[in-house]
Amino acid sequence: MKTESRLFLLQAFLVGALTTFAQTSGFQKLDEWTEIWKTGQQTYFGYPANQQSEMRDFYKWYLEAGLESINLNNAGDPMTDSPWNMSSQAFEREVIEYFAPLYGFTRDNVWGIVTHSGTDGNNHGIYFGAEYLKNKTRMQPVLYVSDEAHYSNMRLADLQNIELRLVKSDAMGRMIPEELERALDTSRPVLIVYAMGSTFKGAIDDMAALNAVIDRHSEIPGVYRHVDAALFGGYLPFTEHRQMVSHKAMHFESIAISGHKFFGIDSPSGLFLCTRDVYDSQDDFSVTYLNRNMRMINCSRDAVQPLKFWWLIQKVGTEGWTEQAERIMECTAYLKRQLDAIGWPAWVNEYSNTVFFKRPSADIVNTYNLAQGYDERFGGNLAHVVVMQHVTKERIDRFIVAMKDDLE
Ligand SMILES: *Cc1c(COP(=O)(O)O)cnc(C)c1O
């Protein structure tokens, strides 16, 4: 063997050994689970987490800068100035200012925070809504939400001790305007949560039609509309349907979006935005030892999530998210076409990236992490795929091959 090729082999061996070394934690259980996660990521089809995290450079910078040894905390209001500088609120505020116009808010009429999750955003929407209505009307509101909306809204009504009326939805999962009309108590304030993406079928409540129902009743003492847009609120601003998530066009008071769904943050996080009027009508908890107004629910808040958001705005930004939104919509249509082509009963709502279909074998359900549902109007057992960034055409093709085998 020539010296050159021997050197090459040695080099290859060293690189291999180093890579192996870098990938092992020294804990067998952790290493085994890492393999499970890496494999599982390829066929993660049933849930709306973006599995194409673009955080690698972020973590690299974070460690190299030594930030892992600094304990930052975003307690307090990022939209007001503060002398407290052991937080990332300067970045959190820029995140809110970037997103505000995407959801139809103007800079001078918006307030917001980076939340811990979509649920945390809904918690703020329902809490702020109830406070807003109580302060304006001196009455307890009734909360209306569709029976296909995310369960967090029902849980939060219970937690906040607000009377809840579940409004029936149609077969595709949209709140039925006539049912809202029937459920309305027009003598009390209306707190309504619109599902922007019902959980299983991916339906969007028709806000214009539902607003019209409410507007017909001028006797209603007060109205507050919160939009639960955890998943769809991520990509819709980057499509031609952006007016559907626009405060200006749809007249809602607040909106919640998840950060780990479309935007690609690799851990639970989110956004909450509302109008200034809503913020101003909240009880003002002036906390002397924090030297702040504490209108948000949580005291300590994560300082790293706003940094990740800010990082992604610079690295991916409007252009990148527009491309991703286009690809997601294309791949959703592609998946539906491929299912149609093999004669597999499948449905998809307008504007939705969630395709639901007759439930395949348990094998496929497990391999592809498919979420399961049941509806007799669609033949009983159902499953769905949420087409996120990592659900590519190649992966859809492999999925369809598996489904075809299942048919036989
Ligand atoms: C995912 C989702 C939620 C919950 O959001 P988390 O970020 O998981 O707390 C709420 N509503 C809708 C419509 C969702 O898609």
Side-chain angles (χ1 to χ4, degrees):
M1 201 188 272
K2 277 199 193 140
T3 326
E4 227 173 276
S5 42
R6 230 180 275 149
L7 269 178
F8 174 77
L9 275 182
L10 180 67
Q11 197 185 359
F13 170 77
L14 279 176
V15 168
L18 278 175
T19 324
T20 314
F21 178 73
Q23 281 170 350
T24 52
S25 63
F27 301 102
Q28 194 190 347
K29 186 169 182 172
L30 268 181
D31 295 342
E32 283 168 10
W33 273 96
T34 303
E35 282 315 305
I36 292 172
W37 295 325
K38 282 186 170 165
T39 314
Q41 190 185 39
Q42 314 285 316
T43 51
Y44 188 93
F45 271 38
Y47 296 87
N50 174 352
Q51 295 286 354
Q52 260 176 16
S53 164
E54 301 188 49
M55 301 311 303
R56 192 182 184 87
D57 289 349
F58 175 88
Y59 280 113
K60 209 160 153 262
W61 160 75
Y62 193 85
L63 280 177
E64 279 166 8
L67 283 182
E68 85 288 351
S69 65
I70 303 174
N71 196 336
L72 300 176
N73 195 313
N74 279 21
D77 182 345
M79 304 304 277
T80 62
D81 294 325
S82 157
W84 172 255
N85 59 16
M86 288 303 277
S87 83
S88 69
Q89 285 187 0
F91 296 87
E92 186 176 10
R93 184 175 183 156
E94 282 188 22
V95 169
I96 297 303
E97 285 171 353
Y98 167 81
F99 281 106
L102 288 168
Y103 299 110
F105 290 95
T106 55
R107 287 236 176 127
D108 56 359
N109 186 20
V110 72
W111 183 85
I113 50 171
V114 171
T115 61
H116 292 119
S117 64
T119 303
D120 187 25
N122 287 341
N123 200 22
H124 279 83
I126 293 171
Y127 179 69
F128 276 28
E131 289 300 298
Y132 171 91
L133 291 168
K134 280 190 260 182
N135 285 334
K136 295 228 165 191
T137 67
R138 306 282 144 210
M139 278 189 262
Q140 297 286 337
V142 177
L143 174 63
Y144 303 87
V145 64
S146 100
D147 56 3
E148 293 257 342
H150 190 267
Y151 81 93
S152 63
N153 298 296
M154 296 79 162
R155 163 66 48 77
L156 292 166
D158 192 35
L159 181 72
Q160 297 187 28
N161 199 19
I162 301 170
E163 184 184 333
L164 172 70
R165 296 201 183 170
L166 277 188
V167 183
K168 273 212 190 85
S169 52
D170 62 21
M172 287 304 279
R174 284 169 304 226
M175 187 189 281
I176 303 170
E178 293 74 25
E179 292 288 338
L180 174 63
E181 176 93 56
R182 200 164 312 160
L184 272 185
D185 177 350
T186 59
S187 70
R188 287 168 63 189
V190 171
L191 172 50
I192 188 162
V193 175
Y194 290 138
M196 179 145 263
S198 65
T199 321
F200 189 76
K201 293 173 184 160
I204 295 181
D205 286 338
D206 184 345
M207 281 188 242
L210 297 164
N211 284 344
V213 168
I214 296 169
D215 290 346
R216 275 205 292 278
H217 297 278
S218 54
E219 72 276 22
I220 295 175
V223 180
Y224 184 101
R225 291 150 294 201
H226 172 70
V227 180
D228 174 10
L231 168 60
F232 291 16
Y235 63 81
L236 281 174
F238 304 102
T239 69
E240 60 186 309
H241 312 298
R242 60 183 65 87
Q243 80 285 351
M244 299 185 68
V245 277
S246 163
H247 153 75
K248 191 162 166 245
M250 295 296 170
H251 310 295
F252 50 78
E253 275 66 36
S254 60
I255 185 167
I257 309 103
S258 296
H260 51 290
K261 291 185 175 176
F262 178 74
F263 297 121
I265 292 181
D266 58 333
S267 50
S269 52
L271 297 166
F272 172 75
L273 290 97
C274 66
T275 62
R276 228 37 236 197
D277 186 28
V278 167
Y279 174 78
D280 290 339
S281 69
Q282 300 303 306
D283 284 336
D284 182 359
F285 281 89
S286 271
V287 182
T288 325
Y289 57 83
L290 290 173
N291 193 22
R292 306 298 289 267
N293 285 333
M294 298 298 285
R295 297 188 187 191
M296 69 288 290
I297 295 168
N298 307 290
C299 179
S300 286
R301 292 186 309 109
D302 199 321
V304 182
Q305 301 298 354
L307 288 178
K308 288 182 179 175
F309 251 122
W310 193 88
W311 182 274
L312 286 175
I313 290 170
Q314 318 305 320
K315 295 277 176 172
V316 184
T318 306
E319 207 176 302
W321 281 321
T322 303
E323 272 168 34
Q324 293 177 14
E326 257 167 46
R327 208 159 8 99
I328 280 177
M329 292 287 93
E330 256 176 50
C331 287
T332 305
Y334 182 72
L335 171 59
K336 171 72 167 75
R337 275 202 310 277
Q338 299 308 100
L339 286 168
D340 289 348
I342 61 166
W344 198 286
W347 302 268
V348 59
N349 265 297
E350 209 177 356
Y351 320 114
S352 164
N353 67 336
T354 305
V355 181
F356 64 101
F357 44 85
K358 191 182 108 178
R359 194 186 302 164
S361 68
D363 242 13
I364 296 189
V365 168
N366 292 338
T367 307
Y368 282 92
N369 283 277
L370 301 183
Q372 304 181 54
Y374 182 87
D375 190 332
E376 266 164 16
R377 292 167 295 189
F378 296 89
N381 287 336
L382 298 170
H384 80 195
V385 165
V386 186
V387 180
M388 301 302 289
Q389 284 88 333
H390 61 283
V391 181
T392 56
K393 283 192 180 164
E394 294 71 41
R395 288 181 183 170
I396 291 173
D397 286 341
R398 259 174 269 150
F399 173 69
I400 292 292
V401 168
M403 293 285 275
K404 232 156 99 187
D405 287 346
D406 208 45
L407 267 179
E408 280 146 20

